[in-house]
Short mmCIF file of all heavy atoms in Angstrom, two decimals:
data_model
loop_
_atom_site.label_atom_id
_atom_site.label_comp_id
_atom_site.label_asym_id
_atom_site.label_seq_id
_atom_site.Cartn_x
_atom_site.Cartn_y
_atom_site.Cartn_z
N ILE A 46 57.04 -45.66 -29.59
CA ILE A 46 58.03 -45.22 -30.60
C ILE A 46 58.76 -44.00 -30.00
O ILE A 46 58.22 -43.37 -29.09
CB ILE A 46 57.40 -44.76 -31.99
CG1 ILE A 46 56.40 -43.63 -31.78
CG2 ILE A 46 56.81 -46.00 -32.62
CD1 ILE A 46 55.96 -43.02 -33.09
N GLU A 47 59.88 -43.73 -30.55
CA GLU A 47 60.68 -42.50 -30.25
C GLU A 47 60.61 -41.63 -31.44
O GLU A 47 60.63 -42.10 -32.58
CB GLU A 47 62.18 -42.84 -29.89
CG GLU A 47 62.30 -43.76 -28.64
CD GLU A 47 61.94 -42.96 -27.40
OE1 GLU A 47 62.14 -41.71 -27.33
OE2 GLU A 47 61.41 -43.60 -26.46
N GLY A 48 60.54 -40.31 -31.25
CA GLY A 48 60.57 -39.37 -32.30
C GLY A 48 59.32 -39.37 -33.14
O GLY A 48 58.24 -39.88 -32.72
N SER A 49 59.44 -38.86 -34.33
CA SER A 49 58.25 -38.68 -35.19
C SER A 49 58.23 -39.79 -36.26
O SER A 49 59.31 -40.09 -36.86
CB SER A 49 58.31 -37.38 -35.90
OG SER A 49 57.27 -37.22 -36.81
N PRO A 50 57.01 -40.35 -36.53
CA PRO A 50 56.90 -41.43 -37.57
C PRO A 50 56.71 -40.83 -38.95
O PRO A 50 56.25 -41.56 -39.85
CB PRO A 50 55.73 -42.20 -37.15
CG PRO A 50 54.90 -41.21 -36.40
CD PRO A 50 55.77 -40.22 -35.73
N VAL A 51 57.03 -39.58 -39.17
CA VAL A 51 56.93 -38.98 -40.47
C VAL A 51 58.30 -38.41 -40.87
O VAL A 51 59.08 -38.00 -40.02
CB VAL A 51 55.85 -37.89 -40.60
CG1 VAL A 51 54.50 -38.52 -40.35
CG2 VAL A 51 56.07 -36.73 -39.63
N ASP A 52 58.57 -38.29 -42.19
CA ASP A 52 59.84 -37.71 -42.61
C ASP A 52 59.82 -36.20 -42.47
O ASP A 52 58.76 -35.60 -42.23
CB ASP A 52 60.19 -38.20 -44.02
CG ASP A 52 59.20 -37.70 -45.12
OD1 ASP A 52 58.63 -36.61 -44.97
OD2 ASP A 52 59.05 -38.46 -46.06
N HIS A 53 60.92 -35.57 -42.69
CA HIS A 53 61.08 -34.13 -42.50
C HIS A 53 60.17 -33.34 -43.37
O HIS A 53 59.48 -32.31 -42.97
CB HIS A 53 62.48 -33.72 -42.77
CG HIS A 53 62.75 -32.27 -42.45
ND1 HIS A 53 62.71 -31.75 -41.19
CD2 HIS A 53 62.90 -31.24 -43.31
CE1 HIS A 53 62.88 -30.44 -41.28
NE2 HIS A 53 63.06 -30.05 -42.48
N ALA A 54 59.92 -33.71 -44.61
CA ALA A 54 59.08 -32.98 -45.57
C ALA A 54 57.62 -32.97 -45.05
O ALA A 54 56.94 -31.90 -45.00
CB ALA A 54 59.10 -33.58 -46.91
N VAL A 55 57.12 -34.11 -44.57
CA VAL A 55 55.81 -34.19 -43.97
C VAL A 55 55.69 -33.41 -42.71
O VAL A 55 54.73 -32.69 -42.45
CB VAL A 55 55.34 -35.64 -43.81
CG1 VAL A 55 53.99 -35.75 -43.09
CG2 VAL A 55 55.23 -36.33 -45.18
N PHE A 56 56.76 -33.52 -41.88
CA PHE A 56 56.77 -32.76 -40.65
C PHE A 56 56.59 -31.33 -40.93
O PHE A 56 55.80 -30.58 -40.25
CB PHE A 56 58.12 -33.10 -39.93
CG PHE A 56 58.26 -32.41 -38.58
CD1 PHE A 56 57.93 -33.17 -37.45
CD2 PHE A 56 58.74 -31.11 -38.44
CE1 PHE A 56 58.04 -32.59 -36.17
CE2 PHE A 56 58.84 -30.54 -37.20
CZ PHE A 56 58.51 -31.25 -36.05
N GLU A 57 57.28 -30.76 -41.88
CA GLU A 57 57.25 -29.39 -42.27
C GLU A 57 55.81 -28.95 -42.67
O GLU A 57 55.30 -27.92 -42.37
CB GLU A 57 58.23 -29.04 -43.35
CG GLU A 57 59.62 -29.04 -42.91
CD GLU A 57 59.97 -27.95 -41.84
OE1 GLU A 57 59.47 -26.83 -42.05
OE2 GLU A 57 60.65 -28.29 -40.90
N GLN A 58 55.13 -29.90 -43.47
CA GLN A 58 53.74 -29.64 -43.85
C GLN A 58 52.79 -29.65 -42.67
O GLN A 58 51.93 -28.80 -42.54
CB GLN A 58 53.33 -30.67 -44.85
CG GLN A 58 53.99 -30.58 -46.21
CD GLN A 58 53.61 -29.30 -46.95
OE1 GLN A 58 52.46 -28.90 -46.98
NE2 GLN A 58 54.61 -28.67 -47.51
N LEU A 59 52.99 -30.51 -41.77
CA LEU A 59 52.18 -30.61 -40.56
C LEU A 59 52.28 -29.38 -39.65
O LEU A 59 51.39 -29.00 -38.94
CB LEU A 59 52.41 -31.90 -39.82
CG LEU A 59 51.98 -33.19 -40.42
CD1 LEU A 59 52.46 -34.42 -39.61
CD2 LEU A 59 50.53 -33.27 -40.66
N LEU A 60 53.43 -28.75 -39.73
CA LEU A 60 53.63 -27.57 -38.92
C LEU A 60 52.66 -26.42 -39.32
O LEU A 60 52.42 -25.48 -38.47
CB LEU A 60 55.07 -27.00 -39.08
CG LEU A 60 56.18 -27.67 -38.27
CD1 LEU A 60 57.55 -27.13 -38.69
CD2 LEU A 60 55.93 -27.44 -36.77
N GLN A 61 52.05 -26.47 -40.44
CA GLN A 61 51.15 -25.50 -40.87
C GLN A 61 49.69 -25.69 -40.32
O GLN A 61 48.83 -24.81 -40.43
CB GLN A 61 51.03 -25.52 -42.43
CG GLN A 61 52.27 -25.21 -43.06
CD GLN A 61 52.24 -25.27 -44.66
OE1 GLN A 61 51.25 -24.83 -45.20
NE2 GLN A 61 53.24 -25.87 -45.21
N SER A 62 49.52 -26.80 -39.65
CA SER A 62 48.20 -27.09 -38.99
C SER A 62 48.04 -26.27 -37.71
O SER A 62 48.98 -26.09 -36.91
CB SER A 62 48.11 -28.55 -38.66
OG SER A 62 46.88 -28.81 -37.96
N TYR A 63 46.83 -25.80 -37.53
CA TYR A 63 46.45 -25.08 -36.26
C TYR A 63 45.92 -26.08 -35.20
O TYR A 63 45.65 -25.63 -34.13
CB TYR A 63 45.40 -24.04 -36.55
CG TYR A 63 45.90 -22.89 -37.36
CD1 TYR A 63 45.55 -22.83 -38.72
CD2 TYR A 63 46.74 -21.92 -36.92
CE1 TYR A 63 45.98 -21.79 -39.52
CE2 TYR A 63 47.22 -20.91 -37.65
CZ TYR A 63 46.82 -20.83 -39.04
OH TYR A 63 47.31 -19.83 -39.76
N ASP A 64 45.77 -27.31 -35.45
CA ASP A 64 45.22 -28.28 -34.63
C ASP A 64 46.14 -28.61 -33.45
O ASP A 64 47.33 -28.90 -33.60
CB ASP A 64 45.00 -29.58 -35.47
CG ASP A 64 44.26 -30.59 -34.66
OD1 ASP A 64 44.87 -31.37 -33.88
OD2 ASP A 64 42.99 -30.71 -34.87
N GLU A 65 45.59 -28.56 -32.28
CA GLU A 65 46.38 -28.84 -31.05
C GLU A 65 46.94 -30.23 -30.97
O GLU A 65 48.00 -30.51 -30.51
CB GLU A 65 45.59 -28.54 -29.80
CG GLU A 65 45.46 -27.10 -29.44
CD GLU A 65 46.79 -26.41 -29.13
OE1 GLU A 65 47.54 -26.93 -28.27
OE2 GLU A 65 47.07 -25.39 -29.73
N GLY A 66 46.10 -31.17 -31.55
CA GLY A 66 46.54 -32.56 -31.56
C GLY A 66 47.76 -32.77 -32.46
O GLY A 66 48.66 -33.59 -32.18
N VAL A 67 47.77 -32.05 -33.61
CA VAL A 67 48.96 -32.14 -34.46
C VAL A 67 50.11 -31.52 -33.73
O VAL A 67 51.24 -32.08 -33.86
CB VAL A 67 48.67 -31.43 -35.77
CG1 VAL A 67 49.89 -31.39 -36.64
CG2 VAL A 67 47.59 -32.16 -36.54
N ALA A 68 49.97 -30.46 -33.00
CA ALA A 68 51.05 -29.91 -32.22
C ALA A 68 51.60 -30.90 -31.21
O ALA A 68 52.84 -31.00 -30.99
CB ALA A 68 50.58 -28.63 -31.45
N GLU A 69 50.68 -31.70 -30.56
CA GLU A 69 51.14 -32.72 -29.67
C GLU A 69 51.94 -33.81 -30.43
O GLU A 69 53.01 -34.19 -29.98
CB GLU A 69 49.92 -33.47 -29.05
CG GLU A 69 49.11 -32.71 -28.02
CD GLU A 69 47.97 -33.50 -27.54
OE1 GLU A 69 46.98 -33.62 -28.29
OE2 GLU A 69 48.13 -34.03 -26.45
N PHE A 70 51.43 -34.18 -31.57
CA PHE A 70 52.10 -35.17 -32.42
C PHE A 70 53.53 -34.71 -32.79
O PHE A 70 54.43 -35.51 -32.70
CB PHE A 70 51.29 -35.42 -33.68
CG PHE A 70 51.96 -36.24 -34.71
CD1 PHE A 70 52.06 -37.62 -34.59
CD2 PHE A 70 52.56 -35.65 -35.84
CE1 PHE A 70 52.71 -38.38 -35.52
CE2 PHE A 70 53.21 -36.36 -36.79
CZ PHE A 70 53.27 -37.75 -36.70
N LEU A 71 53.69 -33.44 -33.10
CA LEU A 71 54.91 -32.88 -33.50
C LEU A 71 55.80 -32.59 -32.36
O LEU A 71 57.00 -32.24 -32.51
CB LEU A 71 54.71 -31.59 -34.31
CG LEU A 71 54.00 -31.74 -35.64
CD1 LEU A 71 53.74 -30.39 -36.28
CD2 LEU A 71 54.71 -32.70 -36.61
#
């Protein structure tokens, strides 16, 4: 895939995670 498979609102919520894997995902 290209880009993120989540919408902007979920993307913003995921930004609050300290998890390195989430940072990779984002």
Side-chain angles (χ1 to χ4, degrees):
I46 61 168
E47 295 293 326
S49 175
V51 296
D52 64 31
H53 183 71
V55 172
F56 186 93
E57 290 295 318
Q58 291 294 317
L59 290 174
L60 279 174
Q61 296 177 44
S62 174
Y63 293 106
D64 186 277
E65 283 297 308
V67 173
E69 288 179 284
F70 170 77
L71 297 175

